[in-house]
Amino acid sequence: EAQVTQNPRYLITVTGKKLTVTCSQNMNHEYMSWYRQDPGLGLRQIYYSMNVEVTDKGDVPEGYKVSRKEKRNFPLILESPSPNQTSLYFCASSLRFPYNEQFFGPGTRLTVL
Amino acid sequence: QQQVKQSPQSLIVQKGGISIINCAYENTAFDYFPWYQQFPGKGPALLIAIRPDVSEKKEGRFTISFNKSAKQFSLHIMDSQPGDSATYFCAAANYGGSQGNLIFGKGTKLSVKP
C-alpha cells in the first residue's frame, strides 16, 4: 500500500530531551516536507526537501533539524525540545513539487512538558 | 507577501446548500493553488487544485474559482452533504529554482447540518 508513515504517533517528553520523529514513504517521491498544525494557525511548513540533494527551511524552522540521507526517509529532529513545540506534526511527500499531490502521513502528536 | 488569508474561520451550511470558502494572496509569483480537506484525526488530503492560467476548475461538486487580477481564489461546494463536514485549507506554492514552500491558509471548519 502506497503510504507515508510516521513514528511515533504520540509522544510526551520533557524540555531538553532530544527526540526524533521518523517519516518514511514508499512511493519513490522526490519531495518531502514537514508541517506543524496548531489550532487557529493552520499548517505551517517547517522544512522541505526537493530531493536528496536539496533541503531548505520553511516558515518555522527554528528549533528543528532534518536529514535526507536517502530518498524514502526524512526524519525530524528536535535537539532540545521546548513547550512551544507542543503540536501536531505531519510529514508529507509528493512525486515532484508543486504540481503533484502531497500525500500526508497520519500525524504525530507531541507534548513537551 | 508569503501569507495566504482564508475566510471564514468556520461555516455552517444546511444539507443541499452551497459552501463557499475564500482565500487571498499577495505574492504574484505563486503559480499553484491546491485545496486540502482534513477530517478529524487524519492528515490533510488533496481535494482539487488550480493553476493561474485558468479561471475555474470543476471536479464533481467541488469548484475552484480563480481571479488572478484580484489575487483571490475560492472553493465552492455544491449540494453540500454532512459527509463534507471537515476542515478545508487553501494553499499556494511558488515553483521557482529550488524553492519548495507550500503556504497554507489557517483553515475553515465546515459543518453541514442534515
Side-chain angles (χ1 to χ4, degrees), chain B residues 20-70:
Chain B
I20 301 174
I21 304 170
N22 301 299
C23 286
Y25 63 97
E26 289 294 325
N27 189 348
T28 55
F30 288 145
D31 65 351
Y32 181 68
F33 302 89
W35 285 87
Y36 281 81
Q37 179 188 55
Q38 185 181 32
F39 293 104
K42 302 290 185 183
L46 180 67
L47 185 63
I48 187 173
I50 196 169
R51 294 181 66 173
D53 52 346
V54 296
S55 60
E56 185 175 284
K57 183 174 182 180
K58 183 176 181 180
E59 290 184 3
R61 297 184 292 110
F62 301 92
T63 300
I64 301 178
S65 297
F66 187 84
N67 185 329
K68 189 173 182 178
S69 60

Side-chain angles (χ1 to χ4, degrees), chain A residues 12-113:
Chain A
I12 300 174
T13 189
V14 295
T15 298
K17 186 177 181 181
K18 182 180 178 179
L19 67 92
T20 298
V21 183
T22 64
C23 172
S24 184
Q25 50 91 5
N26 62 0
M27 296 171 279
N28 202 34
H29 284 172
E30 293 287 339
Y31 179 87
M32 297 185 76
S33 182
W34 276 102
Y35 301 90
R36 61 177 288 175
Q37 184 173 16
D38 302 288
L41 296 179
L43 289 151
R44 293 180 293 168
Q45 193 172 37
I46 304 171
Y47 270 94
Y48 64 87
S49 174
M50 298 290 279
N51 51 58
V52 292
E53 296 175 353
V54 179
T55 298
D56 207 348
K57 298 175 181 178
D59 289 332
V60 289
E62 295 78 18
Y64 304 95
K65 287 175 59 177
V66 291
S67 171
R68 187 94 183 267
K69 295 178 181 177
E70 50 191 339
K71 184 184 274 190
R72 65 181 293 127
N73 296 322
F74 191 46
L76 179 69
I77 303 158
L78 284 72
E79 295 267 1
S80 182
S82 63
N84 64 12
Q85 293 178 299
T86 292
S87 187
L88 179 59
Y89 291 87
F90 287 101
C91 180
S93 73
S94 66
L95 184 60
R96 296 278 190 275
F97 182 85
Y99 305 126
N100 299 110
E101 175 180 0
Q102 284 199 32
F103 293 87
F104 282 76
T108 294
R109 186 165 292 282
L110 172 66
T111 301
V112 183
L113 302 175

